[in-house]
């Protein structure tokens, strides 16, 4: 069914290495009546998928090509080198690109790091995918530099990885077509940015709590002493000492009046 009577839904694309579980859970809690569908897409095809309308938004790797796609950078990944467990590099905690000078460094066609100059020695041919390159590392053909999330995604028991300093880094962003910035897209942006349900910058899905008229301001449980800046306190304070003064004043005036009004006796 299409048109205004169709049930609204949200399609979220994500590239390999991204785990959208947390954001999907929050979406389901806030918008339980609007189903969210996940769409897995290769990193190189993410922009085309968004432009084609096959997803409302997506987690992509920067940069996005073209000015028609909006993007909010979210985080930067650590770059690691994937090696066999018995490789000499596995004995250290961190590796630099200079340490790979004598290694065959595989460069898959779907590389996400954007090297200006690949370290080490090039392989005879480039693997088609990162997953294929992982298989070649396991076979002892060479080593592979990738974002840490991809090393985890394609983990094998016979392989390990170490942080690689001096290498390019991959950044993850939330992207969507500018001309299709719908209310649901705004809702998801709010979730990703950590906005609360009633945030003024996001679309609120729940009414704000009504204010009760005449309710005394909350003082955090502290009791105010009489006289601490309140009219009642001032009255109470002046009454405690002023009452005596007023009483004494009235008594003095009464005595004076009585003295003036007492007739004198004639001799």
């Amino acid at each position: 069914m299409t048109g205004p009577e169709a049930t609204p839904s949200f399609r979220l694309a994500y590239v390999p290495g991204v785990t959208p579980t947390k954001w999907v859970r929050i979406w389901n809690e806030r918008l339980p009546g609007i189903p969210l569908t996940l769409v897995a897409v290769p990193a190189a095809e993410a922009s085309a998928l968004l432009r084609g309308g096959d997803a409302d938004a997506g987690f992509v790797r920067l940069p996005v090509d073209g000015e028609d796609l909006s993007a909010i950078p979210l985080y930067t990944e650590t770059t690691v080198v994937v090696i066999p467990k018995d490789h000499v590099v596995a004995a250290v905690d961190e590796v630099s690109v200079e340490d790979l000078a004598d290694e065959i460094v595989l460069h898959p066609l779907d590389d996400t790091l954007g090297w200006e100059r690949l370290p080490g020695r090039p392989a005879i041919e480039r693997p088609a995918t990162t997953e294929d390159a992982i298989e070649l590392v396991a076979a002892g053909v060479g080593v592979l530099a990738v974002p840490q999330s991809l090393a985890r995604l394609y983990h094998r028991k016979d392989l390990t990885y170490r942080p690689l300093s001096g290498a390019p880094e991959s950044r993850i962003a939330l992207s969507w077509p500018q001309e299709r910035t719908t209310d649901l897209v705004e809702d998801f942006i709010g979730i990703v940015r950590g906005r609360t349900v009633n945030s003024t910058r996001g679309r609120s899905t729940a009414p704000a709590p009504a204010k009760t008229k005449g309710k005394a301001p909350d003082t955090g449980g502290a009791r105010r002493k009489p006289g601490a800046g309140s009219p009642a306190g001032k009255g109470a304070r002046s009454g405690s000492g002023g009452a005596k003064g007023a009483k004494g004043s009235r008594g003095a005036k009464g005595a004076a009046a009585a003295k003036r009004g007492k007739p004198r006796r004639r001799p």
Side-chain angles (χ1 to χ4, degrees):
M1 181 183 296
T2 58
E5 295 183 358
T7 302
S9 62
F10 191 75
R11 295 161 300 172
L12 178 65
Y14 67 101
V15 298
V18 175
T19 305
T21 307
K22 176 182 70 174
W23 296 297
V24 173
R25 174 180 55 79
I26 297 174
W27 175 279
N28 291 333
E29 291 173 355
R30 294 188 184 180
L31 303 163
I34 302 177
L36 186 151
T37 303
L38 290 174
V39 182
V41 58
E45 300 175 15
S47 295
L49 183 134
L50 292 173
R51 288 193 178 94
D54 294 316
D56 299 291
F59 292 111
V60 303
R61 293 188 181 274
L62 293 176
V64 294
D65 55 331
E67 298 181 356
D68 57 327
L69 295 178
S70 297
I72 301 174
L74 300 177
Y75 59 89
T76 300
E77 289 200 69
T78 299
T79 301
V80 301
V81 56
V82 181
I83 50 177
K85 278 191 172 181
D86 59 356
H87 195 284
V88 64
V89 170
V92 298
D93 294 331
E94 184 175 286
V95 186
S96 69
V97 291
E98 290 78 12
D99 295 329
L100 303 180
D102 296 329
E103 301 287 342
I104 293 178
V105 180
L106 301 169
H107 192 200
L109 295 175
D110 64 353
D111 173 65
T112 59
L113 295 177
W115 293 92
E116 291 185 4
R117 181 181 178 183
L118 195 70
R121 296 181 293 142
I124 296 175
E125 59 180 331
R126 297 181 64 180
T129 66
T130 297
E131 188 173 9
D132 291 338
I134 292 287
E135 296 295 328
L136 293 176
V137 174
V141 174
V143 299
L144 174 66
V146 291
Q148 183 170 312
S149 65
L150 294 182
R152 290 175 175 172
L153 177 63
Y154 301 119
H155 173 70
R156 290 173 52 115
K157 292 182 179 180
D158 53 348
L159 299 180
T160 187
Y161 58 85
R162 294 291 183 269
L164 181 62
S165 62
E169 296 175 321
S170 179
R171 292 189 298 161
I172 299 297
L174 177 67
S175 181
W176 69 96
Q178 288 185 10
E179 62 180 12
R180 294 199 296 274
T181 308
T182 64
D183 287 341
L184 292 181
V185 170
E186 290 285 3
D187 285 332
F188 194 76
I189 292 172
I191 289 173
V192 169
R193 283 185 161 173
R195 297 175 191 162
T196 61
V197 175
N198 295 321
S199 170
T200 56
R201 294 188 64 187
R203 213 166 50 105
S204 175
T205 57
K211 295 182 179 180
T212 304
K213 293 184 178 180
K215 184 178 180 181
D218 184 10
T219 59
R223 298 181 62 183
R224 298 179 64 182
K225 294 181 179 180
S230 66
K234 290 181 180 179
R237 185 171 63 249
S238 62
S240 60
K244 293 181 180 180
K247 184 177 181 181
S249 177
R250 287 196 301 269
K253 289 181 179 180
K259 186 175 183 180
R260 288 196 303 269
K262 186 177 180 180
R264 298 180 178 179
R265 292 183 180 179
R266 296 177 177 269

